[in-house]
Amino acid sequence: MRCPNCGAPNSRVTDSRDTGQEIRRRRECSECGVRFTTYERIQHATLIVVKRDGRREEFTREKLLRSIRLACVKRPLPTGALDKLVEEIESDLQRLARAEVPASVIGDAALRRLRKIDPVAYVRYASVYRDFDDLDGFIKEIQEYHSADEAEAAAAASAQLELIPKETLPPK
């Protein structure tokens, strides 16, 4: 690795850390002694997004992050939550191991994750993704959101194991 200060071709690694998505290396130039940091990231094959109208374009992490950030404007979300959300979506797409992915797969993944972290951001993103024409689209989406929440709560309640089985309780 060339030194950014003097351009010397040799440097030694003083510390190396795996951050999950990349490897961070602290280096020291053997000529001038300047310390600097480099990051190594796996370069995945280029992913192509197939749009609704049939156009194809290269997947851009920044574009996805920008659209999700726009839906989350002025929402009280923890720092780094959106970056983590986009990383998860990107990892899911890489795991598909396909060269082309429909835009709907990316949009659905974003909606699933936004649903878990913020209901307002979810509806905002859905309004653009599902292209609402009027107020009825918003109302329908919110109703579906509430009915899905109720269904999840009912499923969670029925999946709960009883502490004391009813057969062992004395009759009243």
Side-chain angles (χ1 to χ4, degrees):
M1 177 62 61
R2 289 193 175 279
C3 173
N5 187 47
C6 70
N10 298 324
S11 63
R12 72 181 183 91
V13 176
T14 58
D15 183 37
S16 202
R17 294 180 191 214
D18 187 353
T19 62
Q21 295 287 45
E22 59 193 10
I23 298 173
R24 177 182 178 265
R25 297 196 196 278
R26 287 290 296 155
R27 297 176 180 268
E28 185 176 341
C29 177
S30 56
E31 298 293 320
C32 67
V34 168
R35 292 184 179 194
F36 57 99
T37 304
T38 60
Y39 294 91
E40 293 178 20
R41 180 180 283 197
I42 296 172
Q43 187 170 358
H44 297 283
T46 303
L47 189 64
I48 302 297
V49 179
V50 181
K51 301 292 196 167
R52 288 181 198 159
D53 62 2
R55 287 183 299 120
R56 287 166 166 66
E57 66 180 51
E58 192 173 321
F59 172 78
T60 334
R61 181 182 199 282
E62 291 74 30
K63 186 175 179 182
L64 176 61
L65 183 59
R66 193 174 341 122
S67 67
I68 291 173
R69 274 196 181 130
L70 190 59
C72 297
V73 168
K74 295 188 180 181
R75 299 302 304 154
L77 297 174
T79 303
L82 299 183
D83 288 321
K84 184 175 185 250
L85 186 143
V86 171
E87 274 181 24
E88 290 171 1
I89 293 171
E90 193 173 11
S91 295
D92 288 351
L93 295 175
Q94 293 297 338
R95 268 188 247 117
L96 290 175
R98 292 172 40 190
E100 292 186 348
V101 176
S104 61
V105 171
I106 299 169
D108 291 340
L111 280 175
R112 252 191 332 275
R113 285 174 172 79
L114 281 172
R115 178 183 188 78
K116 293 176 186 175
I117 63 171
D118 189 78
V120 173
Y122 167 81
V123 172
R124 286 177 178 172
Y125 191 86
S127 72
V128 174
Y129 171 64
R130 296 204 172 121
D131 197 23
F132 294 162
D133 291 335
D134 54 13
L135 192 57
D136 292 334
F138 282 97
I139 293 169
K140 183 180 173 196
E141 190 67 38
I142 292 169
Q143 287 171 342
E144 287 177 13
Y145 181 89
H146 284 302
S147 64
D149 272 355
E150 290 168 3
E152 282 180 22
S158 68
Q160 179 71 35
L161 296 175
E162 294 180 16
L163 183 59
I164 302 173
K166 292 180 182 174
E167 301 89 47
T168 60
L169 291 175
K172 290 183 180 180

